[in-house]
């Protein structure tokens, strides 16, 4: 597999690579038949390997997972802010089971994280708000024996009651940030956070005050790098001037290309990496949901205008385009969307979230999909020609994006 530190995806006509992609599709389907059993089995092996100090499971490995390993890496940020991560990371927002519906078990989520590590994923994304707190606890338990071999990102920025979990709004006051970071460290079972984001810009706290606070935390060794999620452009510049940013985390996929207008050019200008959440359009670009899909009770996607029946029907040409390219490249629609992101810039890293082994293997298999310059130009033009209908977030969610911090 390719190294992604400095070059974007290129073309490959190697016969073995094409055959491997075909195997990846079959493996993903096979894994789907044992979504619950496989992680639990691997968890037992991890327990045994931990006793001997080994990183991975002992004995014979699952032949499906053993054949699908990610080796590509990318760099977020530049200079002292540079951070090396796996080319495709793992988001964990869905693992507490209160975002898209319940999960099989907490034990399975821990095992899935460990499986991701065994398959070459070294970049894991969480936040205090996911659960709240539970996502961090899952990562803390899953990665404690391999902590020095992974990069963990978490986020602050909300006023969450530590006892009840009630969220009463934004809070990025310096004293609160310090308190939250101590809680994150405890839940992650670590002494440092590799990448700490402000989850959303607080319109009442100057970003310079936030940057100075993070700078103090870095001096104490509690934080190594920092970033912002869905910030305003002016806030990015001001924050970066005080303490160089390693990454901006925004939504980005073929379904939502908003960052291309201003955020990505600014990241390129300043040498800041870009991390994509919802890189598969919360499942839409995988082709697994459509206008006839009925979401389970509590699935938060029902509050998104983009997921109304009429809007999904209007957006199906994008799914068809990805399906056509999947056939053409011997892959899946999800892999085409992720490979498309990887091909845009060498400093872009998607972090698809999943609770299923089959989806994990499928996602990391996207690393194998390559586009020639002509193919990428063709695909970019085709994606750009499709008009997407419906807002990506609820009105309340959109109001928290692109916010500018007040002057100091």
């Amino acid at each position: 597999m390719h190294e992604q530190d400095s070059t974007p995806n290129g073309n490959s006509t190697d016969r073995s690579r094409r055959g491997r992609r075909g195997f990846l599709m079959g493996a993903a389907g096979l894994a789907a038949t044992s979504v619950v059993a496989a992680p639990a089995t691997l968890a037992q092996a991890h327990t045994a390997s931990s006793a001997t100090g080994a990183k991975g499971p002992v004995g014979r490995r699952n032949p499906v997972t053993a054949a699908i390993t990610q080796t590509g890496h990318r760099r977020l940020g530049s200079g002292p802010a540079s951070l090396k991560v796996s080319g495709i990371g793992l988001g964990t927002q869905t693992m507490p089971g209160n975002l898209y519906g319940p999960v099989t078990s907490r034990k399975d989520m821990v095992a899935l994280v460990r499986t991701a590590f065994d398959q070459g994923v070294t970049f894991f994304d969480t936040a205090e708000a996911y659960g709240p707190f539970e996502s961090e606890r899952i990562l803390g338990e899953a990665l404690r024996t391999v902590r020095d071999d992974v990069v963990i990102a978490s986020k602050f920025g909300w006023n969450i009651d530590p006892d009840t979990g009630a969220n009463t709004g934004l809070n990025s006051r310096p004293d609160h940030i310090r308190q939250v970071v101590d809680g994150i460290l405890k839940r992650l079972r670590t002494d440092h956070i590799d990448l700490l984001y402000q989850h959303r810009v607080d319109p009442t706290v100057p970003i310079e005050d936030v940057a100075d606070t993070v700078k103090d935390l870095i001096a104490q060794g509690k934080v190594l790098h920092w970033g912002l999620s869905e910030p305003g452009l002016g806030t990015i510049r001001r924050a970066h001037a005080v303490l160089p940013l390693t990454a901006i985390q925004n939504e980005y996929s073929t379904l939502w290309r908003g960052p291309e207008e201003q955020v990505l050019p600014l990241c390129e200008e300043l040498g800041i990496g870009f991390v994509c959440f919802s890189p598969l359009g919360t499942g839409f670009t995988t082709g697994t949901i459509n206008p006839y899909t009925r979401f389970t009770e509590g699935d938060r996607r029902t509050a998104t205008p983009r997921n109304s029946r009429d809007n999904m029907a209007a957006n199906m040409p994008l799914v068809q385009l990805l399906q056509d390219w999947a056939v053409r490249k011997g892959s899946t629609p999800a892999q085409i969307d992720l490979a498309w992101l990887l091909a845009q810039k060498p400093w872009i890293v998607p972090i698809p979230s999943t609770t299923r082994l089959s989806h994990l293997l499928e996602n990391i298999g996207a690393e194998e999909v390559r586009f020639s310059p002509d193919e990428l130009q063709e695909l970019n033009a085709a994606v750009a020609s499709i008009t997407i209908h419906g807002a990506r977030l609820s009105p309340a969610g959109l109001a928290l994006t692109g916010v500018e911090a007040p002057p100091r």
Side-chain angles (χ1 to χ4, degrees):
M1 294 187 184
H2 62 296
E3 179 75 5
Q4 295 176 323
D5 276 345
S6 58
T7 57
N9 285 4
N11 184 38
S12 174
T13 57
D14 183 82
R15 180 175 301 176
S16 65
R17 187 178 296 280
R18 290 200 303 269
R20 180 172 168 78
R21 285 205 299 270
F23 175 78
L24 289 176
M25 294 177 64
L30 176 60
T33 66
S34 57
V35 167
V36 176
T41 301
L42 287 170
Q44 296 171 359
H46 286 312
T47 300
S49 65
S50 296
T52 62
K55 293 182 179 179
V58 296
R60 295 185 60 186
R61 293 186 62 185
N62 182 313
V64 172
T65 57
I68 305 175
T69 303
Q70 179 184 209
T71 60
H73 293 85
R74 294 192 162 199
R75 288 199 176 273
L76 299 171
S78 57
S82 176
L83 182 62
K84 185 178 181 179
V85 299
S86 54
I88 297 173
L90 178 63
T92 62
Q93 186 177 11
T94 58
M95 289 187 177
N98 60 354
L99 188 69
Y100 295 166
V103 297
T104 51
S105 71
R106 186 177 188 277
K107 180 180 178 181
D108 284 340
M109 297 304 99
V110 170
L112 186 64
V113 171
R114 285 302 303 263
T115 301
F117 171 75
D118 285 335
Q119 307 318 125
V121 176
T122 63
F123 187 33
F124 298 86
D125 184 89
T126 184
E128 59 161 348
Y130 299 164
F133 309 132
E134 177 63 8
S135 172
E136 291 175 330
R137 294 190 182 105
I138 290 171
L139 279 187
E141 180 177 345
L143 300 176
R144 59 188 177 85
T145 61
V146 294
R147 179 64 186 92
D148 293 339
D149 301 311
V150 298
V151 172
I152 300 178
S154 193
K155 309 174 191 72
F156 67 88
W158 299 99
N159 201 39
I160 303 175
D161 188 293
D163 297 321
T164 66
N167 188 335
T168 57
L170 297 171
N171 187 347
S172 283
R173 295 192 303 271
D175 59 339
H176 185 69
I177 295 174
R178 296 186 182 95
Q179 179 182 1
V180 167
V181 164
D182 286 342
I184 292 174
L185 292 172
K186 182 177 180 179
R187 290 186 291 273
L188 290 177
R189 305 189 188 188
T190 185
D191 61 356
H192 69 279
I193 303 166
D194 298 287
L195 177 57
L196 180 68
Y197 295 100
Q198 183 186 41
H199 207 156
R200 291 294 184 270
V201 173
D202 188 333
T204 68
V205 180
I207 197 63
E208 292 83 359
D209 291 352
V210 176
D212 283 341
T213 303
V214 175
K215 185 183 295 187
D216 290 343
L217 292 167
I218 290 176
Q220 296 170 28
K222 294 181 177 181
V223 174
L224 303 186
H225 304 268
W226 86 303
L228 304 174
S229 183
E230 297 277 1
L233 298 174
T235 297
I236 295 175
R237 289 189 180 277
R238 290 165 51 198
H240 191 68
V242 177
L243 181 64
L245 292 160
T246 292
I248 298 298
Q249 184 180 129
N250 283 20
E251 181 177 355
Y252 186 35
S253 69
T254 54
L255 188 64
W256 169 248
R257 296 169 54 223
E260 295 175 355
E261 296 179 8
Q262 294 179 298
V263 177
L264 290 180
L266 182 57
C267 286
E268 188 159 33
E269 174 192 339
L270 299 178
I272 302 171
F274 189 88
V275 176
C276 321
F277 72 79
S278 296
L280 298 174
T282 64
F284 185 75
T285 62
T286 68
T288 58
I289 61 176
N290 58 57
Y292 302 101
T293 297
R294 294 294 176 267
F295 296 106
T296 60
E297 183 177 355
D299 193 316
R300 297 187 188 180
R301 287 175 291 188
T302 58
T304 304
R306 195 171 61 193
N307 289 325
S308 72
R309 176 179 291 188
D310 289 345
N311 285 331
M312 279 200 286
N315 294 334
M316 286 305 291
L318 175 62
V319 176
Q320 184 61 58
L321 173 68
L322 297 174
Q323 289 175 339
D324 291 344
W325 273 86
V327 172
R328 179 172 170 178
K329 302 296 288 184
S331 61
T332 69
Q335 290 173 337
I336 293 295
D337 203 357
L338 292 172
W340 177 84
L341 285 168
L342 293 173
Q344 298 307 305
K345 297 290 182 182
W347 36 267
I348 288 177
V349 178
I351 50 168
S353 181
T354 186
T355 60
R356 299 186 180 185
L357 175 62
S358 57
H359 294 169
L360 169 67
L361 301 179
E362 180 183 6
N363 292 342
I364 64 177
E367 182 185 54
E368 291 289 333
V369 180
R370 312 291 187 85
F371 303 111
S372 70
D374 288 344
E375 286 177 330
L376 184 58
Q377 183 177 11
E378 178 186 349
L379 180 54
N380 281 340
V383 171
S385 70
I386 298 174
T387 299
I388 301 301
H389 299 260
R392 65 187 179 100
L393 296 170
S394 67
L398 286 175
L400 296 172
T401 66
V403 173
E404 300 290 0
R408 179 150 70 176

